[in-house]
Amino acid sequence: MGVNVSVVAIDAGNSKTDVALIGADGTVLSTARGGGFQPPSVGIDAALDVLGAILNRALAACGGSIGSRGHVSACLANADLPVEEAELTEALLDRKWAPTVEVRNDTFAILRAGVDEPRGVAVVCGAGINCVGMVPDGRTARFPAIGRISGDWGGGSGLAEEALWFAARAEDGRGEATELARTLPGHFGLASMYELIEALHRGRIPPTARHELTPVLFATSAAGDPVARAVVDRLADEVVAMASVALTRLDLLDEEVFVLLGGSVLTAGHPQLDERIAELLAARAPEATIRVVAQPPVLGAGLLGLDHTGAAPAVHSRLRAQYA
């Protein structure tokens, strides 16, 4: 007889998906990794097929099955609005992988991975930027986080676009001088912003390569360029603004609470960015403590699943210890 799976933890980003099968005692029975979750590009059914294939590999690896009390805890990219979470919940229930399903935006997985109880705020800055908060009574704070139409600024792709804008204007005289006009094209072995603009416009440099310019922005800032430094400072301002609003909505602004930082930009250890975030947050939320999340988000999905099942604290601790 195979093992009985209590929680199916899914952390599905745009580029990769992690699945962890968890027993009732908090033991990780098996894991599997596969492709990204992109329903806007391929449709919900095709996107869930990708998840299903990964889940089947995880089940085969442990010889397990999902019992009558099994639960799917899915933290998914592109589940940005509550209505999208509801649609994906219904679609997963139709798959009959488990009797109960809870879908959340993938930022909640990072938040839950970084705290011992579902209480705190997380700001994530990778390709995009997002912020969520939660408290044990079930209340949450969140933003739509679907781009400029929802008021967003920042994220790796947005920072690259901002750097290109300043560099282009510096080279042609519309803006102030900045070393970005040299360092951005230089990253691709080009001599000028005009050459870089042409290469991007005509597809000689693919759009996906623009993310490479974000580290160049930070390096140029670290070297002292005022324009680049202003962009980095603005990102710190945005991170603290999002965190402060989420804390306020949850009545946590004056409480001892963790503010979690996740995503490739906020975990890279940029001194200017880190120091400004710490300074501004100390002024806005003096009792808050910043913590960089090093644990994998699938741990957060698993802990959210155990929260749903009412598992004892020792079960949570056992699961967390396996990702230490």
Side-chain angles (χ1 to χ4, degrees), residues 17-88:
T17 296
D18 284 314
V19 170
L21 304 184
I22 302 165
D25 65 349
T27 300
V28 178
L29 305 172
S30 67
T31 63
R33 172 171 287 187
F37 183 72
Q38 299 183 342
S41 300
V42 303
I44 290 178
D45 285 341
L48 292 184
D49 287 343
V50 172
L51 299 189
I54 303 167
L55 172 59
N56 287 336
R57 285 197 286 111
L59 287 168
C62 68
S65 61
I66 303 169
S68 60
R69 295 188 177 182
H71 174 68
V72 172
S73 174
C75 295
L76 308 177
N78 300 299
D80 296 305
L81 305 175
V83 65
E84 292 169 330
E85 291 177 340
E87 290 171 351
L88 289 164

Side-chain angles (χ1 to χ4, degrees), residues 242-266:
M242 297 182 87
S244 299
V245 169
L247 289 168
T248 300
R249 290 178 181 173
L250 295 173
D251 301 316
L252 295 175
L253 191 63
D254 299 316
E255 300 286 333
E256 292 185 3
V257 65
F258 283 109
V259 172
L260 293 304
L261 302 181
S264 58
V265 174
L266 295 181

Side-chain angles (χ1 to χ4, degrees), residues 57-268:
R57 285 197 286 111
L59 287 168
C62 68
S65 61
I66 303 169
S68 60
R69 295 188 177 182
H71 174 68
V72 172
S73 174
C75 295
L76 308 177
N78 300 299
D80 296 305
L81 305 175
V83 65
E84 292 169 330
E85 291 177 340
E87 290 171 351
L88 289 164
T89 297
E90 289 302 314
L92 279 168
L93 285 170
D94 287 344
R95 296 281 171 135
K96 302 188 186 308
W97 293 346
T100 59
V101 171
E102 185 171 39
V103 171
R104 294 181 182 268
N105 178 268
D106 56 343
T107 308
F108 282 100
I110 294 177
L111 169 57
R112 189 64 182 90
V115 290
D116 292 328
E117 61 174 344
R119 181 178 182 273
V121 165
V123 183
V124 178
C125 185
I129 190 167
N130 199 358
C131 174
V132 300
M134 62 192 312
V135 287
D137 66 13
R139 289 180 295 131
T140 62
R142 61 191 298 172
F143 299 85
I146 52 178
R148 290 186 64 84
I149 64 169
S150 60
D152 305 331
W153 187 91
S157 59
L159 293 171
E161 291 292 331
E162 197 80 358
L164 285 165
W165 188 87
F166 279 110
R169 293 173 67 87
E171 182 171 275
D172 66 22
R174 287 177 291 172
E176 62 183 295
T178 170
E179 278 294 294
L180 292 168
R182 179 185 62 83
T183 58
L184 297 187
H187 174 75
F188 294 108
L190 301 175
S192 69
M193 276 301 299
Y194 186 87
E195 290 183 15
L196 177 55
I197 293 164
E198 182 180 272
L200 289 168
H201 177 64
R202 295 181 65 82
R204 291 195 296 273
I205 296 176
T208 54
R210 296 188 186 193
H211 76 275
E212 298 175 19
L213 296 177
T214 302
V216 179
L217 166 67
F218 279 97
T220 306
S221 175
D225 180 75
V227 171
R229 289 185 66 84
V231 175
V232 174
D233 282 347
R234 184 180 174 190
L235 176 60
D237 297 349
E238 187 70 10
V239 168
V240 174
M242 297 182 87
S244 299
V245 169
L247 289 168
T248 300
R249 290 178 181 173
L250 295 173
D251 301 316
L252 295 175
L253 191 63
D254 299 316
E255 300 286 333
E256 292 185 3
V257 65
F258 283 109
V259 172
L260 293 304
L261 302 181
S264 58
V265 174
L266 295 181
T267 61

